């Protein structure tokens, strides 16, 4: 059986959601949103996790383009990628603004 493909927009929303799917990554994005840029050490001092773990979270956010890093030997400076942030904001806004069935009837509480 052939695997069905999703549209590029659906794939992009899923990739961004996955990248944001950890509390540490949300904390990193909140931290970076309040600054024009900052260094790895600043981010590490803010989070209650090991440096290697911070690096893994930064890599996941960087992989989808939400943040960008610039090497300033021996440090790395990070900031939010504003273009990608705006794109993600629009994608999620469109997603959560879609009309949902008003019939209900699934039997779940909180219709």
């Amino acid at each position: 059986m052939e695997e069905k493909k999703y549209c590029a927009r659906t794939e992009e929303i899923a990739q961004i959601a996955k990248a944001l799917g950890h509390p540490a990554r949300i904390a990193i994005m909140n931290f970076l949103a309040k600054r024009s840029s900052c260094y790895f050490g600043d981010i590490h001092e803010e989070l209650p996790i090991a440096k290697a773990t911070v690096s893994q979270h930064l890599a996941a956010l960087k992989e989808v383009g939400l943040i960008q890093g610039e090497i300033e030997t021996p440090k790395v400076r990070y900031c939010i990628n504003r273009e990608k942030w705006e794109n993600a904001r629009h994608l999620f806004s469109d997603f959560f603004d879609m009309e949902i069935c008003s019939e209900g009837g699934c039997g779940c509480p909180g219709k």
Side-chain angles (χ1 to χ4, degrees):
M1 179 183 243
E2 186 178 324
E3 184 178 327
K4 291 184 179 181
K5 302 286 183 192
Y6 297 101
C7 73
R9 185 177 184 88
T10 300
E11 289 284 350
E12 188 173 10
I13 291 170
Q15 289 170 355
I16 294 167
K18 183 178 178 182
L20 292 172
H22 191 284
R25 296 179 193 160
I26 299 296
I28 289 169
M29 294 304 293
N30 283 329
F31 186 75
L32 289 174
K34 297 173 185 163
R35 293 154 184 78
S36 59
S37 68
C38 68
Y39 293 99
F40 174 86
D42 301 325
I43 298 168
H44 174 255
E45 287 177 14
E46 184 73 13
L47 300 174
I49 54 179
K51 284 184 180 181
T53 307
V54 173
S55 292
Q56 290 173 346
H57 289 305
L58 289 168
L61 293 168
K62 197 172 174 185
E63 186 177 319
V64 297
L66 289 173
I67 65 171
Q68 49 198 18
E70 184 177 311
I71 298 172
E72 293 180 1
T73 307
K75 300 178 180 182
V76 180
R77 184 169 50 106
Y78 291 95
C79 65
I80 289 180
N81 178 335
R82 293 175 186 276
E83 183 179 326
K84 186 67 174 189
W85 180 260
E86 281 301 311
N87 181 53
R89 193 170 68 77
H90 289 294
L91 286 170
F92 280 91
S93 177
D94 291 348
F95 177 75
F96 284 109
D97 284 346
M98 76 173 132
E99 292 292 322
I100 59 172
C101 178
S102 61
E103 290 180 28
C106 72
C108 298
K111 300 175 190 174

